[in-house]
Amino acid sequence: MTPTEPAARGAAAPTAVRPPLPVKMVIAGGFGVGKTTTVGSISEIRPLTTEAAITEVAAGVDDLSHTPHKTTTTVAMDFGCITIDSTLKLYLFGTPGQDRFGFMWDDLVEGALGGLVIVDTRRLDDCYAAVDYFEHKGIPFAVAVNAFDGRVEHALDEVRWALDIAEQVPVFTYDARERGSVRDALLVVLELALARAQG
Amino acid sequence: MAAGDTPVGEEARPGRPDDPVGRAPAVRPFLVTAGRVAGARSGPPIPVETQVVTTAAGVTALDGLSFEAHDIVALCRQPQSLAEIAAKLRLHLNVVRVLAEDLRSEGHLSVYVPNADLAQDISVLRRVIDGLRTIPDSRGALRDTD
């Protein structure tokens, strides 16, 4: 039922256009950290917003933790895309992140090539959930410190230490407004994914 | 015709991309799916990047379709991801999942579910890397002196 390559299910339908193979990367981080700016800097379309359901698991003592089971919340998700060629299209999904909850992003993240966790050094707490999630799922990811106004308030070593990021995870600064900077950040993640795929 | 027929699409929601909740739409999302939700079937929900294309039969049937079904089949004459359909028609992603599956089983849409192994496919990763490398630093001539 789920073909490996887009199957020629439309073979008998001459007007059906053969779609590109879609791949995706996930841009994660706290609210207002620059996810949409990042997507918008490199996307060939203006970022679109859709509402997605995210399953939350109440972590520890919280207002919602009296609910014994997982709860589903609707969140706004921004995304854009880059046409690699006529047969391959890269989607970039900005996933909302909140601390306090362990997010179940599986619905969005399943099958992603990799993730980019965006960090605002003034609010390091906001990205714990994303770092934890990618580590837990074994998805290749890097941590990109968005250097607002070219300043970074913490040294990268301190960010790595504060977030308890494993040595093999790249941590670097970038500028969410610069297309070249975003491109290079995505390439860091993809090179990591390639190295892992090559085993 | 289509735009006026769909109350959900009429909601002018201000762009607040990081708003965690957003405004409630005028029509409860799952009214249009008669209460059915995605993922109720066996297996995981189809990925958000899944490509959807209108079939020849769908084009033929277009005038007979109404509301969301019409809008989706009309939109997907050009391939769209589930996420694009949801965003452009202002429908909840899981509503689109349900409706796309309905329209596929009726023969109006082809739904191309990507294989999850794609993420570990070396040739795909190389193509994405090579493709990204060709993207210049900035758009237009704004910074051509850098």
Side-chain angles (χ1 to χ4, degrees):
Chain A
M1 176 188 157
T2 60
T4 307
E5 288 280 314
R9 216 198 302 244
T15 64
V17 186
R18 191 181 178 85
L21 200 62
V23 290
K24 68 183 165 190
M25 296 180 73
V26 175
I27 315 291
F31 294 116
V33 77
K35 295 187 298 290
T36 307
T37 305
T38 301
V39 172
S41 292
I42 199 162
S43 172
E44 65 200 22
I45 59 167
R46 240 182 66 193
L48 293 166
T49 302
T50 186
E51 289 179 341
I54 281 190
T55 309
E56 295 173 339
V57 181
V61 181
D62 192 273
D63 292 346
L64 299 176
S65 62
H66 54 78
T67 311
H69 299 294
K70 296 181 288 187
T71 55
T72 300
T73 302
T74 294
V75 293
M77 174 178 77
D78 296 321
F79 66 97
C81 60
I82 301 164
T83 298
I84 301 296
D85 58 45
S86 62
T87 61
L88 188 61
K89 191 169 181 177
L90 173 65
Y91 286 89
L92 301 173
F93 288 97
T95 64
Q98 278 170 313
D99 47 356
R100 290 189 302 131
F101 296 111
F103 268 123
M104 297 290 284
W105 283 337
D106 301 10
D107 182 17
L108 305 178
V109 173
E110 200 70 51
L113 303 183
L116 188 66
V117 178
I118 302 179
V119 173
D120 177 349
T121 57
R122 295 165 298 189
R123 288 173 294 168
L124 281 175
D125 287 0
D126 287 357
C127 59
Y128 284 129
V131 169
D132 280 354
Y133 181 84
F134 288 128
E135 275 180 351
H136 179 70
K137 297 294 287 186
I139 290 170
F141 75 102
V143 174
V145 178
N146 194 358
F148 292 97
D149 306 321
R151 291 183 304 116
V152 177
E153 297 191 358
H154 294 56
L156 291 179
D157 286 349
E158 290 176 50
V159 171
R160 181 184 290 279
W161 180 84
L163 294 175
D164 194 20
I165 297 165
E167 258 177 50
Q168 62 271 25
V169 175
V171 180
F172 52 87
T173 60
Y174 86 120
D175 187 332
R177 300 161 303 183
E178 292 287 334
R179 184 163 61 162
S181 188
V182 172
R183 171 201 63 208
D184 293 344
L186 296 178
L187 282 168
V188 168
V189 177
L190 289 166
E191 295 284 3
L192 211 58
L194 179 61
R196 192 177 295 188
Q198 287 169 329
Chain B
M1 166 201 158
D5 285 339
T6 53
V8 174
E10 290 301 292
E11 275 291 310
R13 202 160 64 82
R16 288 185 298 170
D18 273 349
D19 184 337
V21 180
R23 279 177 54 193
V27 173
R28 303 308 301 168
F30 293 95
L31 201 58
V32 298
T33 67
R36 292 165 302 144
V37 295
R41 299 171 300 125
S42 60
I46 55 178
V48 291
E49 71 274 22
T50 298
Q51 298 287 300
V52 180
V53 190
T54 299
T55 60
V59 172
T60 307
L62 188 57
D63 286 344
L65 298 171
S66 55
F67 304 114
E68 287 79 8
H70 176 278
D71 294 350
I72 292 173
V73 172
L75 180 65
C76 293
R77 285 177 289 186
Q78 288 298 313
Q80 309 281 334
S81 62
L82 287 183
E84 284 167 298
I85 298 169
K88 291 174 182 175
L89 300 180
R90 296 176 190 248
L91 292 168
H92 192 288
L93 193 57
N94 283 348
V95 170
V96 174
R97 283 191 168 109
V98 172
L99 295 179
E101 174 57 25
D102 286 354
L103 290 163
R104 187 200 63 77
S105 64
E106 289 160 16
H108 299 322
L109 296 178
S110 292
V111 177
Y112 297 83
V113 180
N115 193 316
D117 295 345
L118 224 51
Q120 286 87 44
D121 188 310
I122 290 170
S123 73
V124 167
L125 285 165
R126 284 214 173 100
R127 283 169 64 198
V128 177
I129 289 170
D130 291 344
L132 275 186
R133 282 193 179 132
T134 65
I135 294 177
D137 274 350
S138 51
R139 287 182 204 286
L142 285 173
R143 290 180 159 267
D144 56 2
T145 54
D146 278 10

